[in-house]
Amino acid sequence: MNIRKIVLQVTALFAAASVQAQNPIIQTIYTADPAPMVYKDTVYLYTGHDEDKSTVFVMKNWHCFTSTDMVNWTDRGSPLSVKTFIWAKQDAWAGQCIARNGKFYWYVPMTHETIGMSIGVAVSDGPTGPFKDALGKPLVHSGYGDIDPTVFIDGDGQAYLYWGNPYLKYVKMNPDMISYAGEVVTVPLNKEGFNVRYQDVDKRPSAYEEAPWFYKRKNLYYMHYAAGGVPEHLAYSTSTGPTGPWVYRDTTMRVIGKGGAFTNHPGVIDYKGKSYLFYHNAALPGGGGFTRSVCVDEFQYNKDGSVPRITPTTEGVKPVEHLNPFIRQEAETIAWEQGIETERSNNARVYVTEINNGDFIKVRTVDFKNGAGIFQANVSSASGGFIEIHMGSLEGELLGACEVKNTGGLQSWTTVSTQVKKTKGVHDMYFVFKGSQGDLFNFNWWRFDK
């Protein structure tokens, strides 16, 4: 999504007012239906992708982003699409990925060529892919509402897959994670388990709408979900067992604004001692019900395990660690940006592209420790320009300006460097791109040396 080209003036005003914002956490494309996964020391965020200017749900692929500090997110490209599944024709809707026995299983719903919405499973040896269809056919098809799968592996090793709208169903997964045992079970949607609807035009038995998110914390099983009707809010229910009976608890997030996204989708994780709720809104320029953007906010469980009412913010969350500038950092590691795009080359390299004069990338809480003296950048260009390095703000102290000359083409890569003013301590850093008109260069990675 090139927001600059869609709504140039709106974007400039939005960016100027939002350089201190953190939400939405991805600005290069429209993202929806967040599914965070903590694996080892990293958060892997799997999202849907709303195509530009969509007036219906036009979604063709899924994307992956990673972070180790919760504020800078690295674009890992699109490791899975509808085209991966020979049986599917459209609708890359909300899914979830989980790790087991050294492999990664991504459960995703799509419209089957003949039988309608069905849930497939893709597998990979790594969390960022590439993923392939594990079965060559749907894992499950039980009705027209087979969407929004959520997966969880219990402490005894039993895995569960829940899904559905207007119903909520589940199966017990086999250890291979690509088949299930027994029958598809339908969860009773009643007042006790899932409250009542505040809009009853469609005569549903409870407030449950879609987008379940299932996990266990201490001795409680949690089911977060989008509740309604439409526009949706977020709510949750709990149980003392993985299959219920469920007890309705409360609303976790109210409807987000008028004229914004009429859907929502929760994703909940604990990471480095903190708890986070991922969701989506319509806050980016051009945003709406079919052009959504993923956000995250921190919360704290109450002593009894209940979840408080969470207010969506533009400020987002605080970092859980600082970024190390003395190792290679991908240029597509971004806290905030204006104007740029990311692209994945044939060799699976993701890089920053469509860089124009005045565009910028913000990287939060960079720890320069006792000081850095040299800046390096891996770039390619058919014209040229400069990477200005500012501390603290777009107009903050200029550490240096790294010149990018014509490298012989936009896929002809080289590493350039420049001396910079010695800077100590922790700072937000801005790469501000300068040059003549048009696309200036591509930007792959950067690093400071002491």
Side-chain angles (χ1 to χ4, degrees), residues 307-383:
V307 179
R309 190 70 54 87
I310 302 166
T311 301
T313 72
T314 56
E315 295 82 8
V317 303
K318 296 180 180 179
V320 293
E321 67 177 37
H322 301 312
L323 186 138
N324 181 1
F326 301 111
I327 62 175
R328 169 174 163 161
Q329 296 288 350
E330 299 302 315
E332 60 276 9
T333 298
I334 298 168
W336 197 263
E337 59 82 18
Q338 175 185 309
I340 61 96
E341 293 290 311
T342 59
E343 189 169 304
R344 191 169 188 159
S345 64
N346 292 333
N347 63 1
R349 169 191 286 166
V350 180
Y351 56 90
V352 172
T353 189
E354 296 195 33
I355 296 171
N356 281 225
N357 181 54
D359 292 348
F360 71 86
I361 291 173
K362 176 185 178 181
V363 185
R364 287 187 65 184
T365 58
V366 180
D367 188 358
F368 289 93
K369 298 187 182 298
N370 291 324
I374 296 176
F375 171 76
Q376 293 182 319
N378 187 249
V379 294
S380 65
S381 178
S383 58

Side-chain angles (χ1 to χ4, degrees), residues 118-358:
S118 305
I119 295 171
V121 55
V123 64
S124 175
D125 293 328
T128 60
F131 284 82
K132 64 180 181 180
D133 186 354
L135 296 173
K137 61 180 181 180
L139 168 67
V140 62
H141 172 77
S142 68
Y144 68 89
D146 289 344
I147 67 170
D148 298 353
T150 179
V151 60
F152 170 71
I153 303 172
D154 209 348
D156 61 1
Q158 179 62 60
Y160 299 85
L161 186 74
Y162 278 85
W163 72 89
N165 175 349
Y167 43 70
L168 177 61
K169 298 182 179 182
Y170 74 87
V171 291
K172 292 184 177 181
M173 298 296 296
N174 290 324
D176 64 8
M177 299 300 284
I178 60 172
S179 63
Y180 60 88
E183 299 297 319
V184 174
V185 179
T186 300
V187 176
L189 295 178
N190 50 39
K191 177 181 178 181
E192 293 73 22
F194 299 92
N195 203 16
V196 296
R197 298 176 80 78
Y198 63 84
Q199 294 177 356
D200 198 28
V201 294
D202 47 6
K203 306 300 181 183
R204 295 195 186 190
S206 77
Y208 173 85
E209 182 83 16
E210 58 185 352
W213 185 266
F214 179 45
Y215 65 95
K216 183 181 182 182
R217 181 181 181 271
K218 297 183 177 180
N219 295 321
L220 273 181
Y221 294 85
Y222 292 76
M223 188 72 71
H224 292 256
Y225 47 89
V230 173
E232 297 172 343
H233 63 282
L234 299 182
Y236 80 109
S237 303
T238 61
S239 173
T240 56
T243 60
W246 295 96
V247 177
Y248 174 74
R249 301 299 295 271
D250 203 355
T251 294
T252 52
M253 181 174 284
R254 296 186 185 275
V255 172
I256 303 178
K258 295 181 179 180
F262 56 86
T263 64
N264 207 338
H265 194 113
V268 180
I269 58 168
D270 289 334
Y271 183 60
K272 296 185 178 180
K274 298 180 182 294
S275 300
Y276 298 96
L277 171 69
F278 290 77
Y279 57 98
H280 64 229
N281 65 15
L284 288 184
F290 306 105
T291 44
R292 300 158 294 178
S293 298
V294 168
C295 302
V296 62
D297 277 298
E298 184 184 346
F299 71 95
Q300 293 182 340
Y301 290 90
N302 298 317
K303 291 183 178 180
D304 63 355
S306 59
V307 179
R309 190 70 54 87
I310 302 166
T311 301
T313 72
T314 56
E315 295 82 8
V317 303
K318 296 180 180 179
V320 293
E321 67 177 37
H322 301 312
L323 186 138
N324 181 1
F326 301 111
I327 62 175
R328 169 174 163 161
Q329 296 288 350
E330 299 302 315
E332 60 276 9
T333 298
I334 298 168
W336 197 263
E337 59 82 18
Q338 175 185 309
I340 61 96
E341 293 290 311
T342 59
E343 189 169 304
R344 191 169 188 159
S345 64
N346 292 333
N347 63 1
R349 169 191 286 166
V350 180
Y351 56 90
V352 172
T353 189
E354 296 195 33
I355 296 171
N356 281 225
N357 181 54

Side-chain angles (χ1 to χ4, degrees), residues 75-88:
D75 189 342
R76 303 298 181 181
S78 172
L80 187 65
S81 74
V82 171
K83 293 181 180 179
T84 306
F85 303 86
I86 60 172
W87 51 268

Side-chain angles (χ1 to χ4, degrees), residues 28-42:
T28 50
I29 59 172
Y30 295 117
T31 53
D33 306 324
M37 178 186 74
V38 178
Y39 180 70
K40 296 184 177 179
D41 191 47
T42 301

Side-chain angles (χ1 to χ4, degrees), residues 37 41-45 65-74 76 271-272 320-321 333:
M37 178 186 74
D41 191 47
T42 301
V43 177
Y44 293 84
L45 175 61
F65 305 86
T66 63
S67 181
T68 57
D69 58 22
M70 292 300 296
V71 295
N72 298 299
W73 292 90
T74 303
R76 303 298 181 181
Y271 183 60
K272 296 185 178 180
V320 293
E321 67 177 37
T333 298

